[in-house]
Amino acid sequence: MRPARRRRRASPAVIAAAFLAPALVSLLVLRIAPAAVALWESFFRESLLRGGSVFVGFENYADLFGNADFNNALLVTLVFSAVINPLQIAVSFLLAVLYTRRAAGSKIWRSLVVLPIAVPPAVSAVVWSVVYRPDGLGNSFLALLGLPSQPFLSSPQQSLASIMVLLSWIGVGYWMLFLIAGINDVPGELYEAASLDGASAWRKLRSVTFPLVRRPLAFVLVADTVSNFLVFAPVQILTKGGPSGSTNLLMYDIYTRAYTLGDLGKAQAEVIILVLLTLVVVAVQFRLLRSSDSE
Amino acid sequence: MKRKVLAATSLLAAGAMFLAGCTASPQKSVPALGNEGPGTGTVNFLGPEDPATFAPVIAAFHAKNPDITVKYSQVPFDQLNSTLQQRLGAKDETIDLYTVDQPRVSQLAAQGFLEDLSDLKDRTKAAVPEAQFSVNIYDGKMWALPIWNSTQLLFFNKKALDAAGVKYPSSDPTERKTWEELVTDAKAVQAAGTKYGLLLEQVEAYYQLQPLAESAGGGPGITGDKMLTVDITNAGWEKAMQWYSDTFSSGLSPRGVGGFQTSPLFTSGKVAYFVGGPWDVGGFSKSNIDWGIAPMPYFEGGSKVTPTGSWSWGINPASKNKAAAKKFLEFASLDPAGNLATTAATTIIPANGAATEQYLPKLEALGGNKTKGLAQLIAHENSESAKPRPVSVGYIQFEEIMGKAFADIRNGSPVNDRLKQAAQQITDAWKQL
């Protein structure tokens, strides 16, 4: 008997699956499995004294919505997202426009804006803790301008805004990079044509630049929104959610519930709520972008 | 268009999954599976300190017991509790002995993560101060042996007091100042040009603020047979916290300065009176300012209470070499020479009474003239005014929630409302125990 000479050809689908396997397996193990575990555990309650865990159905969710601290965290997170996302994107866009102009030293300025990305968030938080101290840089600067000193992180009215400033210091440069790439892709002829038509700088920005960077802008909007839902380090290092819960973002509330209060069931329920919230907000953003696309 | 939606959906899914992966699975309490072992061989020891800290005690033990080798591994303090929860929960037998933050003894014992050491009760009671003994008892049994102890002292800046013509407080515990007197003096010093009158080192920590409430008659904040009833809305707590709040609203103490920024403020000469620990003696001695020490104050008409407690060590029930681990533990805690060796490379009070006696004069000498009377003062506080943190399985939740309440009170939240809110939060958190 001679062995069959015919070489078996694997189908393209099998080959594709083989190439995709590492990514798919890690997606399953690192992402989908923990998500499933989170959902499953959110239906249980762990008891230290009685021992073991008990199935409680949706009780963890019901308890959360009846809990003043959780409701406050939800509100703070929504306010935070509603303010910081438009703010960061607007500033990144304006900076991107500014730094794509051919001006003296614009590359140096651009690098300076991007620099904070290289600093780990925890280190940035420590740096800003010095800025926000009562006798710190922030108040020295205000004094220089003849303004009264501010409480910053120790005031419930100013703490969230102070965290937003710190995060924007890190984030704006990062998002700007994507927008600069987008702006550089806009063909120069379009600007020339607009100039010939007598368009002002503002008109060029509004009618040429803005519509043509909508794709990178959409990415930045979604990615920025998701990343701002995940803010944790500055809150943990600077305010611990205070004063009076004014900076208690959901991510930090989850951490506190899971690791300091030891209430894992409720923490997992809160994770699921945060995931759903993120999904809804981002879905709405896509809906809006799509409808403006088809116009 | 479709591709864009696909890309966005996967991005979103990735973000969502990232979120979902952020909490670990819970730990189940497990029955002990370890055994006594041969009494020789290797003891694996886990803790948050730099390896150099424990090198002297390990060397001293090895010299006496050449057939036992102690292998120490360090886990950073911030990760210690979660690491312990994970590894002990998984019945990890590669930990034989580990360091236990004293207020956590009861929870770790309830979880089944500590070996019962009750047969050493009598010897321990005889060797250490009462507060260092009782802190290791939960449910009538002893679960860990005390290694280190602590207290709090009132440090003062001599130059600042001189400028205001204010007399130095005495280091004699019988001449202990009241908080009321201290505030009067601190205001006078502040008026004479020192930036802040008073500062507590751990501004938002229960460890340092418990004595305020205790001195005002408010108790530790936890009562009941099971130590699971919160009691922080009584007159004593309200008085103490109102006083604390006032020190910040009057500008006597600075807001917005975190726990790790307080001692540099004292050594830079900006603070008149500073309440800190013996560990500050080493650091302050290296600074350029002239300072002195006095006992931690109390409220007029109230009791004299100071903080205490530090680290104990306990044995992992899943260990396969318990006998050898216990031998090392007994040496480090109950043998004065061994206990003293744990402090050879750091500035901390040993828990063992006989070791403390030998250690304190050395600590006093470290500060030279500035710390005259320190040894006698600490010995007095250890035996007379030390009040340990309450032993409760709900201590961890209690401490966390109180920390936030202290922070808010310091920043001007109305005291009564904030204490009521904290009491409610603690009650809620304890329900799931």
Side-chain angles (χ1 to χ4, degrees), chain B residues 326-342:
Chain B
K326 201 167 167 182
K327 215 168 178 180
F328 177 54
L329 176 55
E330 283 176 46
F331 175 73
S333 173
L334 304 178
D335 183 328
N339 192 232
L340 198 61
T342 64

Side-chain angles (χ1 to χ4, degrees), chain B residues 387-409:
Chain B
K387 194 101 183 188
R389 286 163 282 181
V391 176
S392 158
V393 276
Y395 179 80
I396 296 170
Q397 289 82 2
F398 175 78
E399 187 190 67
E400 175 69 21
I401 294 169
M402 289 311 291
K404 286 188 178 159
F406 293 139
D408 285 350
I409 286 170

Side-chain angles (χ1 to χ4, degrees), chain B residues 117 278 426:
Chain B
L117 299 172
I426 294 165

Side-chain angles (χ1 to χ4, degrees), chain B residues 18-356:
Chain B
F18 171 76
L19 264 172
C22 283
T23 52
S25 49
Q27 309 304 328
K28 314 272 186 291
S29 40
V30 285
L33 286 175
N35 56 53
E36 287 301 307
T40 57
T42 304
V43 171
N44 291 302
F45 172 34
L46 188 95
E49 310 295 332
D50 185 67
T53 307
F54 293 136
V57 66
I58 290 172
F61 178 72
H62 191 64
K64 276 189 164 181
N65 302 273
D67 52 348
I68 302 176
T69 311
V70 179
K71 216 177 105 200
Y72 174 71
S73 12
Q74 181 189 12
V75 174
F77 179 72
D78 288 347
Q79 293 157 31
L80 182 69
N81 288 312
S82 51
T83 306
L84 285 176
Q85 288 290 322
Q86 281 160 16
R87 291 181 61 182
L88 297 175
K91 294 179 253 178
D92 185 343
E93 59 195 55
T94 62
I95 301 176
D96 297 307
L97 182 71
Y98 64 95
T99 61
V100 186
D101 195 9
Q102 286 177 344
R104 291 178 187 256
V105 167
S106 43
Q107 177 150 1
L108 288 165
Q111 285 179 298
F113 292 166
L114 283 171
E115 180 78 2
D116 182 1
L117 299 172
S118 298
D119 57 321
L120 296 172
K121 253 185 178 177
D122 295 338
R123 279 179 62 199
T124 310
K125 204 175 167 66
V128 305
E130 170 59 26
Q132 280 290 297
F133 169 70
S134 63
V135 79
N136 295 296
I137 306 289
Y138 165 72
D139 222 6
K141 292 176 182 159
M142 189 170 79
W143 301 96
L145 294 188
I147 301 295
W148 288 342
N149 197 0
S150 71
T151 188
Q152 291 284 294
L153 306 159
L154 178 69
F155 294 87
F156 56 91
N157 181 330
K158 287 185 178 165
K159 199 175 144 201
L161 268 61
D162 287 342
V166 170
K167 218 182 123 205
Y168 301 157
S170 161
S171 69
D172 183 349
T174 59
E175 291 174 41
R176 191 186 300 267
K177 288 236 169 219
T178 65
W179 288 116
E180 289 84 352
E181 289 166 344
L182 192 78
V183 164
T184 311
D185 287 353
K187 280 185 174 157
V189 180
Q190 204 176 13
T194 303
K195 194 153 187 191
Y196 303 113
L198 170 70
L199 187 58
L200 272 66
E201 184 174 33
Q202 301 174 33
V203 264
E204 290 159 13
Y206 177 77
Y207 166 78
Q208 211 178 28
L209 299 178
Q210 176 193 3
L212 295 181
E214 298 256 16
S215 177
I222 305 181
T223 58
D225 293 344
K226 294 178 183 162
M227 288 300 274
L228 283 174
T229 308
V230 59
D231 182 24
I232 54 168
T233 47
N234 57 49
W237 268 91
E238 281 171 10
K239 177 188 169 185
M241 288 301 110
Q242 192 57 56
W243 176 87
Y244 193 55
S245 173
D246 291 345
T247 62
F248 291 96
S249 56
S250 65
L252 196 65
S253 304
R255 282 177 178 154
V257 174
F260 60 96
Q261 299 164 330
T262 49
S263 50
L265 221 49
F266 181 73
T267 49
S268 65
K270 288 181 181 163
V271 178
Y273 295 98
F274 181 85
V275 183
W279 46 83
D280 288 317
V281 170
F284 290 177
S285 300
K286 288 179 204 136
S287 78
N288 295 324
I289 64 163
D290 194 10
W291 49 276
I293 49 130
M296 182 172 175
Y298 69 109
F299 282 111
E300 202 180 313
S303 48
K304 294 157 185 153
V305 179
T306 54
T308 184
S310 178
W311 290 93
S312 287
W313 295 356
I315 294 172
N316 176 14
S319 158
K320 295 253 192 278
N321 203 359
K322 287 181 200 171
K326 201 167 167 182
K327 215 168 178 180
F328 177 54
L329 176 55
E330 283 176 46
F331 175 73
S333 173
L334 304 178
D335 183 328
N339 192 232
L340 198 61
T342 64
T343 65
T346 182
T347 320
I348 189 113
I349 308 172
N352 187 297
T356 313

Side-chain angles (χ1 to χ4, degrees), chain B residues 349-430:
Chain B
I349 308 172
N352 187 297
T356 313
E357 268 173 40
Q358 295 177 49
Y359 177 79
L360 289 180
K362 279 197 272 175
L363 183 68
E364 183 168 325
L366 191 67
N369 243 345
K370 302 180 178 105
T371 45
K372 222 168 188 176
L374 179 76
Q376 207 190 350
L377 174 59
I378 292 180
H380 176 273
E381 305 289 58
N382 271 348
S383 58
E384 302 300 323
S385 61
K387 194 101 183 188
R389 286 163 282 181
V391 176
S392 158
V393 276
Y395 179 80
I396 296 170
Q397 289 82 2
F398 175 78
E399 187 190 67
E400 175 69 21
I401 294 169
M402 289 311 291
K404 286 188 178 159
F406 293 139
D408 285 350
I409 286 170
R410 178 183 175 215
N411 286 323
S413 284
V415 171
N416 291 8
D417 293 347
R418 193 60 188 85
L419 286 176
K420 272 185 204 141
Q421 190 192 350
Q424 182 59 45
Q425 289 169 328
I426 294 165
T427 309
D428 278 352
W430 281 350

